[in-house]
Amino acid sequence: MPNETETAPAKLPVFRTIEDAFRALRPGWRRLILLILVILAIEIALDLLGAAGAPGPAPDAETAATPGMGIVLLRLVRLLVELLLSVNLLLLVARLVLFAEIPPLGGLFRWGPRQWRLLGLLLLIALVAGMPAIVGGFLSPFLGAFLALPEAVIAFLALYGLCWVWAAGWLASIVPIVASDGPAGVLDRAWRIAEGNRFRLMGIPLCILFGCMIAVGSAEIVTAFFNTELLPFRIPGAVFTTLLLEIVYVAYAAIGAAAYRRMTGAAPEQV
């Protein structure tokens, strides 16, 4: 049973926590790279299957063929596989940070109570995140004046995004709580553990977002170089997107686990 205190420190050192997270990843960085490459290879294989079965280009939009049922099912399978592999990757990274447990290669394909628990929480959070769009769809006939003002829409989206950046900070604790077999009421526990540090925890998603902006900008430069006529191939954007997402998952889970360990005041062997 975890031996953790419920009192959060007065101030969580965000940058030191990020440094702790990446330091904790060092023992297993080779295995993490291998896991990411395995995920990438699986998704590329599924993409190639989809491309092979996709209808050829049509001469005009009127005669363009719609995707068949097989292609639609394959796309759903790809999304499901990506979700399941990502859930396992999050848990493996959290256990590496919390327990210095080198992630096994087969861990990507295991499924048990931890995975079901985290998957249910992620789906619940996704449902809550999408609720404004669902409600807005029903209320759109009554929001004509509001939707006609670009400034109002931009302000609403900015406020909504800021709220989820704030939420993403303290929600980062749900992965280490599940990975360490914490008690029931994960969301409530994550909220209580983050008390006094919820705004500081916004530094986690903000730093990851800043890193993604740098990565995307660098990738555009590299892609522009490879897309010249000097080389007979192009870099698929989907491959880079998948790679970037997996790196984001690793960073988010690692920093969240390091923050969780600091806020609970537990040593790695006591988590």
Side-chain angles (χ1 to χ4, degrees), residues 156-237:
F156 172 77
L157 292 177
L159 179 61
Y160 180 70
L162 185 62
C163 289
W164 275 103
V165 169
W166 170 79
W170 64 268
L171 285 173
S173 294
I174 68 173
V175 177
I177 291 173
V178 174
S180 59
D181 298 321
V186 176
L187 292 175
D188 177 66
R189 181 166 179 74
W191 175 263
R192 288 186 287 109
I193 286 174
E195 185 177 358
N197 283 306
R198 294 188 190 109
F199 284 100
R200 282 182 163 269
L201 286 168
M202 289 177 65
I204 295 177
L206 287 175
C207 288
I208 293 175
L209 179 61
F210 182 70
C212 287
M213 292 172 62
I214 295 177
V216 170
S218 303
E220 287 180 353
I221 296 174
V222 174
T223 303
F225 171 77
F226 280 105
N227 281 346
T228 60
E229 296 180 357
L230 298 176
L231 296 173
F233 59 88
R234 293 176 179 270
I235 298 177

Side-chain angles (χ1 to χ4, degrees), residues 9 11-24 97 197 200-201 204 251 254-263:
K11 291 182 179 180
L12 180 73
V14 176
F15 293 108
R16 192 176 304 169
T17 301
I18 295 174
E19 182 183 355
D20 290 346
F22 287 110
R23 187 183 298 115
V97 174
N197 283 306
R200 282 182 163 269
L201 286 168
I204 295 177
I255 300 171
Y260 171 77
R261 196 171 66 189
R262 275 186 173 272
M263 290 186 298

Side-chain angles (χ1 to χ4, degrees), residues 89-206:
L89 183 64
L90 289 171
L91 293 172
L92 291 172
V93 171
R95 291 191 66 83
L96 173 60
V97 174
L98 295 175
F99 305 107
E101 181 180 290
I102 304 299
L105 183 59
L108 277 178
F109 309 101
R110 294 176 184 170
W111 201 260
R114 287 177 190 154
Q115 285 79 4
W116 282 116
R117 194 178 183 191
L118 182 57
L119 178 62
L121 289 167
L122 294 178
L123 292 178
L124 176 62
I125 293 170
L127 178 63
V128 174
M131 193 59 65
I134 298 174
V135 175
F138 287 107
L139 297 180
S140 56
F142 309 99
L143 298 176
F146 176 81
L147 297 175
L149 297 173
E151 298 83 1
V153 176
I154 293 174
F156 172 77
L157 292 177
L159 179 61
Y160 180 70
L162 185 62
C163 289
W164 275 103
V165 169
W166 170 79
W170 64 268
L171 285 173
S173 294
I174 68 173
V175 177
I177 291 173
V178 174
S180 59
D181 298 321
V186 176
L187 292 175
D188 177 66
R189 181 166 179 74
W191 175 263
R192 288 186 287 109
I193 286 174
E195 185 177 358
N197 283 306
R198 294 188 190 109
F199 284 100
R200 282 182 163 269
L201 286 168
M202 289 177 65
I204 295 177
L206 287 175

